[in-house]
């Protein structure tokens, strides 16, 4: 392995950016491809697919065998609101492989008693996100119903290009939210990325069922990254 | 799928350790699982990193074949020539060691630099 490739790969991993180490198994030469880099031909197609699936493996291209070792940052889920839905979502997300954190400044809601074993921040999103910024491998679900708590986080998620942004509330509630986000400086294209009403339409009724719908929509958004120019699915 | 943890566990991450060894001036080999068949304990893409003294971090199996990979890696560090190793169920074939789980794995061993 080229020492420069190793250094580059580790730097990308530390920065929570996706990268693939491409090794020619015939001559041992390797290089790093970052997400979004243009690679032509069959190899390029295989690389694009590998970024989406996260699966490492060998590919035949241009009469050679290449090994693609895919390094994706751990996708994670940030939930704004320590509410009933979040209580169901926390264990489900953990099982599905999406570590979850909850932010809610209302100390009556954000208690370890209500959320045993969950990473909880009983603080304003403004304060938490300053230290732990959102990124492209983070999903954000805003479920407090309270603009004072949700709006800043939603705008931050759009600016950080989170792979999934969802907001709880009816279409009517969302229409008012759109006005407020425009006032905060969000663009119409950005706002179109918000999933509202939140969750895949499975007819969810209870808080736990809504949690299933949110988790399913998060997974769908993650697995279809790059397939839609706007990143908007379902 | 190879997910890097939320914030890398640098003390246990094989590729971070390999970079540290390199900075310390050590000779290093990197072993990578490139293919698996049947039940295999570690997924494709997993790493074992080895220095010239036989110190190692990471894994390419559940501990079944690491010993053999380490000794091959020391040869690779010496020669600079990468090798492809194949391990199957423990039997009389190519290798003395094997995978008790019944799977087969292919491990690519190369020198760093």
């Amino acid at each position: 392995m080229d020492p420069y490739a190793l250094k580059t790969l580790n730097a990308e991993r530390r920065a929570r950016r996706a990268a693939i180490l491409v090794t020619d198994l015939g001559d041992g030469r390797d290089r790093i491809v970052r997400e979004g880099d243009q690679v032509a031909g069959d190899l390029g197609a295989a690389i694009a697919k590998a970024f989406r699936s996260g699966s490492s493996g060998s590919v035949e291209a241009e009469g050679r065998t290449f090994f693609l070792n895919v390094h994706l940052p751990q996708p994670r889920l940030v939930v704004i609101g320590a509410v009933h839905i979040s209580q169901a979502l926390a264990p489900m997300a953990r099982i599905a492989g999406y570590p979850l954190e909850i932010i809610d400044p209302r100390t009556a809601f954000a208690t370890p008693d209500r959320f045993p074993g969950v990473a909880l921040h009983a603080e304003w999103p403004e304060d938490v996100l300053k230290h732990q910024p959102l990124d492209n491998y983070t999903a954000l679900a805003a479920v407090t119903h309270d603009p004072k708590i949700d709006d800043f986080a939603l705008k931050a998620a759009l600016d950080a290009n989170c792979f999934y942004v969802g907001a709880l509330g009816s279409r009517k509630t969302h229409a008012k939210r759109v006005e407020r986000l425009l006032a905060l400086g969000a663009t119409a294209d950005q706002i179109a990325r918000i999933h509202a009403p939140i969750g895949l339409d499975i007819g969810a009724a209870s808080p736990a069922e809504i949690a299933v719908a949110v988790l399913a929509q998060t997974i769908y958004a993650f697995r279809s990254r790059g397939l839609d120019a706007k990143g908007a699915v379902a | 799928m190879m997910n890097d943890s939320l914030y890398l566990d640098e003390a246990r991450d094989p590729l971070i350790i390999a970079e540290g060894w390199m900075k310390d001036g050590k000779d290093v080999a990197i072993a990578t699982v490139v293919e698996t068949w049947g039940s295999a304990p570690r997924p494709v893409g997993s790493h074992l990193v080895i220095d010239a003294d036989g110190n190692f971090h990471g894994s390419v199996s559940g501990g079944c074949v690491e010993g053999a990979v380490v000794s091959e890696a020391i040869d690779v560090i010496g020669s600079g020539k990468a090798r492809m190793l194949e391990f199957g169920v423990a039997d009389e074939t190519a290798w003395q060691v094997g995978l008790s789980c019944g799977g087969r794995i292919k491990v690519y061993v190369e020198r760093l630099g």
Side-chain angles (χ1 to χ4, degrees), chain A residues 9-26:
Chain A
L9 177 61
N10 282 340
E12 294 300 305
R13 295 169 66 222
R14 285 186 172 110
R16 277 180 58 80
R17 285 191 297 261
I20 297 180
L21 177 71
V22 181
T23 305
D24 182 329
L25 290 178

Side-chain angles (χ1 to χ4, degrees), chain B residues 34-92:
Chain B
V34 295
E35 221 166 322
T36 65
W37 297 264
S39 114
R42 297 285 288 130
V44 170
S46 302
H47 292 294
L48 181 72
V49 300
I50 306 100
D51 75 5
D53 297 326
N55 298 304
F56 62 91
H57 278 279
S59 63
V60 291
S61 75
C64 323
V65 304
E66 272 73 5
V69 174
V70 167
S71 61
E72 291 288 325
I74 291 169
D75 289 350
V76 167
I77 289 172
S79 71
K81 224 175 150 319
R83 289 185 191 174
M84 190 70 81
L85 311 177
E86 204 173 321
F87 299 95
V89 283
D91 58 20
E92 313 272 322

Side-chain angles (χ1 to χ4, degrees), chain A:
Chain A
M1 190 186 291
D2 177 6
Y4 178 73
L6 177 64
K7 276 192 219 169
T8 308
L9 177 61
N10 282 340
E12 294 300 305
R13 295 169 66 222
R14 285 186 172 110
R16 277 180 58 80
R17 285 191 297 261
I20 297 180
L21 177 71
V22 181
T23 305
D24 182 329
L25 290 178
D27 62 14
R29 294 169 71 157
D30 49 37
R31 65 171 166 144
I32 299 295
V33 176
R34 296 179 178 86
E35 199 164 20
D37 286 353
Q38 294 302 312
V39 180
D42 291 346
L43 182 59
I47 286 171
K49 194 174 158 209
F51 271 119
R52 279 200 301 278
S53 70
S55 299
S56 300
S58 299
V59 293
E60 307 286 332
E62 297 134 35
R64 312 186 70 93
T65 304
F66 296 93
F67 179 67
L68 310 184
N69 205 346
V70 187
H71 294 265
L72 298 188
Q74 168 69 52
R76 66 189 191 114
L77 180 52
V78 171
V79 178
I80 307 300
V83 299
H84 202 168
I85 293 170
S86 324
Q87 285 178 295
L89 186 53
M92 289 183 199
R94 185 172 57 231
I95 291 167
Y98 292 76
L100 168 145
E101 284 181 49
I102 294 174
I103 304 173
D104 194 328
R106 300 169 299 178
T107 50
F109 285 80
T111 69
D113 192 48
R114 282 163 48 80
F115 293 91
V118 177
L120 258 187
H121 305 273
E123 298 167 69
W124 288 92
E126 286 86 326
D127 297 323
V128 179
L129 299 181
K130 225 174 356 198
H131 302 293
Q132 291 175 259
L134 302 168
D135 60 38
N136 192 218
Y137 281 82
T138 303
L140 183 128
V143 294
T144 70
H145 266 137
D146 183 341
K148 286 197 305 298
I149 306 172
D150 283 350
D151 284 4
F152 174 88
L154 285 169
K155 175 70 165 52
L158 295 173
D159 288 342
N161 201 22
C162 285
F163 74 84
Y164 172 77
V165 185
L168 187 70
S170 65
R171 283 182 176 78
K172 210 170 137 194
T173 306
H174 188 58
K176 287 186 202 145
R177 179 186 291 129
V178 168
E179 294 306 316
R180 294 193 308 271
L181 289 172
L182 285 170
L184 284 174
T187 67
D189 278 353
Q190 280 186 312
I191 291 170
R193 292 197 51 228
I194 300 176
H195 295 279
I198 199 168
L200 285 187
D201 186 3
I202 56 172
S206 69
E209 288 176 2
I210 294 168
V212 171
V214 171
L215 185 58
Q217 197 167 43
T218 300
I219 294 168
Y220 185 32
F222 186 67
R223 293 301 167 196
S224 56
R225 285 166 305 130
L227 290 181
D228 180 311
K230 282 181 182 167
V233 289

